[in-house]
Amino acid sequence: MAEGLHELQVNMVIGVMVTPTSALRAFASTGVKRRCEPVGSREIAERLAKHLGHMHKFHEEGRLVKEDDLADFLVQHLLAVSEALASASLTKMPMSEGKRSGQ
């Protein structure tokens, strides 16, 4: 179980790392508007749900969780993250230095 959890954590980090910087900045209040924008959380959640769905299957009460339901779950929890924590987490990511390809 711990091995599967570690793999899930690694895949979540990868999923966030391949999310466009604009969505990450909207989530972390470091974009043009300098405030947390729900659209950033939604885009991160949708991309993360799609990315994770390729490698993991999630079940709830014996049924397979659909990608849209996983995205809704993720966005709900991303919106609960404080702006300070979201901003701090973005500054610790390598792409925060503006060195991402294609951006």
Side-chain angles (χ1 to χ4, degrees):
M1 182 72 170
E3 183 177 308
L5 185 57
H6 176 71
E7 184 178 332
L8 176 61
Q9 290 172 329
V10 168
N11 288 321
M12 288 180 75
V13 169
I14 292 169
V16 171
M17 296 290 289
V18 299
T19 299
T21 304
S22 58
L24 295 172
R25 287 185 177 149
F27 166 71
S29 308
T30 59
V32 175
K33 295 181 181 178
R34 296 288 186 224
R35 63 182 168 84
C36 184
E37 300 176 56
V39 69
S41 297
R42 171 56 63 183
E43 185 170 348
I44 292 169
E46 288 174 354
R47 288 175 174 271
L48 196 52
K50 186 173 187 169
H51 178 77
L52 293 175
H54 292 297
M55 293 159 273
H56 302 276
K57 299 298 177 211
F58 300 93
H59 296 84
E60 181 180 46
E61 297 178 5
R63 70 171 183 86
L64 184 65
V65 176
K66 295 179 184 176
E67 187 177 299
D68 291 341
D69 294 334
L70 179 58
D72 290 343
F73 173 82
L74 292 170
V75 77
Q76 178 184 11
H77 290 279
L78 286 170
L79 290 172
V81 173
S82 71
E83 286 189 29
L85 180 59
S87 180
S89 65
L90 182 64
T91 59
K92 293 179 180 180
M93 296 180 77
M95 77 288 230
S96 64
E97 298 169 9
K99 298 181 181 178
R100 290 185 69 182
S101 61
Q103 298 294 319

